[in-house]
């Protein structure tokens, strides 16, 4: 019989003869591997998932007119989108700002694409509905609506100023943002361009990208270099807050992983020491029959590593289920299974059980067969 096969059979039988103790050790390793695998997965997935969550707080980049140009042409946004082809873009919302007369009161108006705006700025709170495409509907800021004393469903007159055509618009909704938007009114981009005779013009664009601060900085520089006539600008409050929160979360995950590793090491080490104490007579007999320290070390390390491998395999599977549950319940999105994380968790489990076996192995090699076999 192949000596490696014989060695494996000997280790396996040794573990099976001590089912209760080994079950406890295996459970400790499996739980440790579950937490480690799950935490590594969360550590890897948190930046992307949190990046998506932060998109609920609005755009993280503005596209402004460059140089002395007062406006941006809509075609330029097509070039911006092409430049950002390698990034995950949530949306690019164009805005044209100009004044309108609403019920004969001058107010700043924003023309935009409402479909994209809902994706880029989901924090806008609408009482009523968003304006429907192709309809003469207007969205009023809460402060301005209170000033006019109108509600969703009412009709207001809209014109571009004195001497221009007056049209009736239905108030589809009232918006609250906690910002200056509450003093504005919003219509479709095409309507404002037609009313003010400013075809193909926009004042700025809001861009929402799923990316960290470093990637955003590279995207900003890429737009500045490759798209003439625009000046990209990061919304630093959002990008810096995102990186700060992510850094703290990842640090917390790392600390928890280290604590779990230490606790697993202590549990396995305690179990292995108890096993060595139980097997002192067996170790003494082996030494008396000619086994040297190398054989004793190989046997106990083999048991520890096999225990770590079994626990690592079990823990990796449960760890993925744990991370999947966290991601679905916290972020509402699943995660992909990663073979790399399984390998890492398996290697760490074997490493921890190997380290945990160091002290018990040292005790085993110090056994004096003469004393043990005399029953002392």
């Amino acid at each position: 019989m192949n000596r490696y096969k014989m060695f494996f059979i000997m280790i396996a039988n040794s573990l099976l003869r001590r089912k209760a103790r080994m079950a406890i050790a295996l459970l400790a390793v499996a739980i440790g591997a579950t937490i480690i695998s799950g935490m590594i997965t969360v550590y890897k997935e948190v930046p992307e998932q949190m990046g998506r969550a932060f998109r609920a707080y609005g755009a993280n980049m503005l596209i402004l007119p460059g140089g002395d140009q007062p406006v941006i042409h809509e075609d330029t946004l097509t070039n911006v989108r092409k430049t950002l082809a390698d990034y995950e873009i949530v949306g690019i919302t164009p805005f044209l700002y100009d004044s309108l007369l609403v019920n004969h009161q001058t107010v700043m108006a924003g023309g935009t694409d409402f479909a994209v705006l809902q994706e880029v700025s989901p924090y806008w709170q609408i009482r009523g509905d968003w304006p429907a495409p192709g309809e003469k509907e207007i969205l009023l800021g809460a402060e301005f609506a209170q000033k006019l004393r109108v509600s969703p469903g009412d009709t207001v007159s809209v014109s571009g100023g004195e001497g221009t055509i007056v049209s009736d618009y239905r108030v589809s909704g009232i918006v609250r943002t906690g910002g200056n938007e509450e003093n504005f009114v919003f219509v479709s981009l095409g309507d404002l361009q037609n009313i003010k005779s400013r075809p193909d013009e926009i004042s700025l664009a809001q861009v929402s990208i799923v990316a960290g601060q470093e990637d955003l900085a590279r995207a900003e520089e890429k737009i500045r270099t490759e798209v003439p006539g625009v000046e990209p600008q990061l919304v630093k409050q959002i990008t810096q807050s995102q990186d700060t929160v992510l850094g703290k979360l990842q640090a917390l995950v790392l600390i928890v992983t280290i604590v779990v590793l230490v606790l697993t090491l202590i549990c396995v080490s305690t179990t292995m020491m108890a096993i060595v104490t139980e097997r002192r007579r067996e170790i003494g007999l082996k030494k008396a029959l000619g086994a040297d320290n190398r054989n004793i070390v190989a046997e106990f390390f083999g048991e520890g590593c096999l225990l770590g491998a079994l626990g690592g395999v079990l823990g990796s599977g449960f760890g993925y289920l744990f991370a999947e549950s966290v991601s679905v319940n916290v972020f509402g999105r699943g995660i992909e299974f990663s073979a790399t994380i399984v390998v890492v968790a398996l290697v760490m489990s074997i490493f921890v059980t190997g380290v945990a076996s160091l002290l018990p192995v040292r005790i085993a090699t110090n056994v004096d067969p003469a004393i043990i076999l005399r029953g002392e």
Side-chain angles (χ1 to χ4, degrees):
M1 182 182 292
N2 186 294
R3 63 176 182 172
Y4 294 110
K5 184 177 181 180
M6 183 64 186
F7 178 69
F8 178 78
I9 293 174
M10 182 177 66
I11 290 174
N13 287 334
S14 177
L15 294 176
L16 291 174
R17 284 198 304 270
R18 297 165 182 83
K19 294 179 182 178
R21 289 193 181 279
M22 287 306 175
I24 294 173
L26 180 61
L27 182 62
V29 176
I31 292 174
T34 298
I35 302 300
I36 291 168
S37 173
M39 286 300 179
I40 292 175
T41 304
V42 171
Y43 186 92
K44 173 178 173 289
E45 294 291 331
V46 156
E48 180 179 351
Q49 302 288 18
M50 284 296 294
R52 295 179 186 279
F54 264 92
R55 299 288 59 77
Y57 296 96
N60 47 13
M61 182 186 294
L62 299 178
I63 304 298
L64 304 172
D68 297 329
Q69 298 186 34
V71 296
I72 302 171
H73 293 284
E74 286 188 76
D75 293 342
T76 305
L77 293 188
T78 303
N79 297 332
V80 170
R81 186 176 290 277
K82 289 179 180 178
T83 303
L84 298 176
D86 295 334
Y87 297 83
E88 184 177 351
I89 302 173
V90 176
I92 301 178
T93 310
F95 280 95
L96 174 63
Y97 290 106
D98 211 326
S99 61
L100 287 178
L101 283 177
V102 178
N103 280 4
H104 307 292
Q105 295 199 35
T106 303
V107 62
M108 183 59 68
T112 187
D113 184 332
F114 290 110
V116 183
L117 179 60
Q118 293 177 60
E119 299 293 329
V120 174
S121 301
Y123 67 93
W124 282 31
Q125 298 176 13
I126 306 296
R127 181 165 64 90
D129 299 306
W130 289 89
E135 300 293 332
K136 283 196 172 184
E137 294 185 337
I138 189 170
L139 193 66
L140 302 186
E143 295 292 335
F144 186 69
Q146 185 177 7
K147 185 178 179 181
L148 292 184
R149 297 182 180 179
V150 298
S151 301
D154 293 345
T155 300
V156 295
S157 62
V158 177
S159 69
E162 296 296 337
T164 59
I165 297 175
V166 178
S167 300
D168 289 335
Y169 276 71
R170 176 181 173 273
V171 178
S172 65
I174 309 296
V175 59
R176 285 192 178 275
T177 66
N180 291 332
E181 293 87 356
E182 295 188 15
N183 294 304
F184 287 31
V185 300
F186 296 91
V187 296
S188 71
L189 179 61
D191 281 358
L192 188 58
Q193 287 173 338
N194 291 333
I195 292 171
K196 303 300 290 188
S197 299
R198 299 178 61 179
D200 193 41
E201 291 184 5
I202 60 173
S203 303
L204 58 86
Q206 295 182 354
V207 183
S208 181
I209 306 173
V210 179
Q213 190 168 359
E214 292 183 2
D215 288 336
L216 281 171
R218 283 193 288 269
E220 178 189 26
E221 186 58 33
K222 192 174 183 182
I223 293 172
R224 183 176 286 110
T225 303
E226 298 181 13
V227 183
V230 299
E231 179 63 28
Q233 180 179 313
L234 297 182
V235 182
K236 293 185 178 180
Q237 294 94 329
I238 292 179
T239 57
Q240 290 176 352
S241 298
Q242 176 179 331
D243 281 6
T244 299
V245 172
L246 290 181
K248 291 180 179 179
L249 282 174
Q250 289 182 315
L252 177 62
V253 169
L254 184 60
I255 291 171
V256 171
T257 302
I258 293 173
V259 170
V260 170
L261 280 173
V262 172
L263 293 176
T264 303
L265 188 148
I266 293 172
C267 183
V268 174
S269 180
T270 303
T271 304
M272 293 298 289
M273 286 184 68
I275 291 172
V276 168
T277 302
E278 287 180 354
R279 296 170 62 184
R280 292 176 76 235
R281 295 181 66 85
E282 177 188 331
I283 295 169
L285 180 60
K286 287 181 178 179
K287 281 193 169 187
L289 293 174
D292 57 20
N293 285 340
R294 185 176 61 182
N295 300 126
I296 304 298
V297 169
E299 181 178 351
F300 279 96
F301 263 117
E303 291 179 12
C305 291
L306 180 60
L307 198 64
L310 292 173
V313 170
L314 291 174
S316 297
F318 287 118
Y320 170 74
L321 296 177
F322 165 73
E324 174 79 6
S325 176
V326 170
S327 183
V328 169
N329 286 286
V330 175
F331 300 109
R333 295 175 59 90
I335 57 176
E336 294 183 1
F337 180 81
S338 173
T340 303
I341 293 177
V342 172
V343 173
V344 170
L346 187 60
V347 170
M348 291 183 72
S349 298
I350 295 174
F351 174 78
V352 168
T353 53
V355 172
S357 302
L358 287 176
L359 183 58
V361 164
R362 179 170 182 147
I363 295 174
T365 56
N366 289 334
V367 169
D368 187 335
I371 297 176
I372 296 298
L373 293 178
R374 283 203 305 267
E376 299 179 9

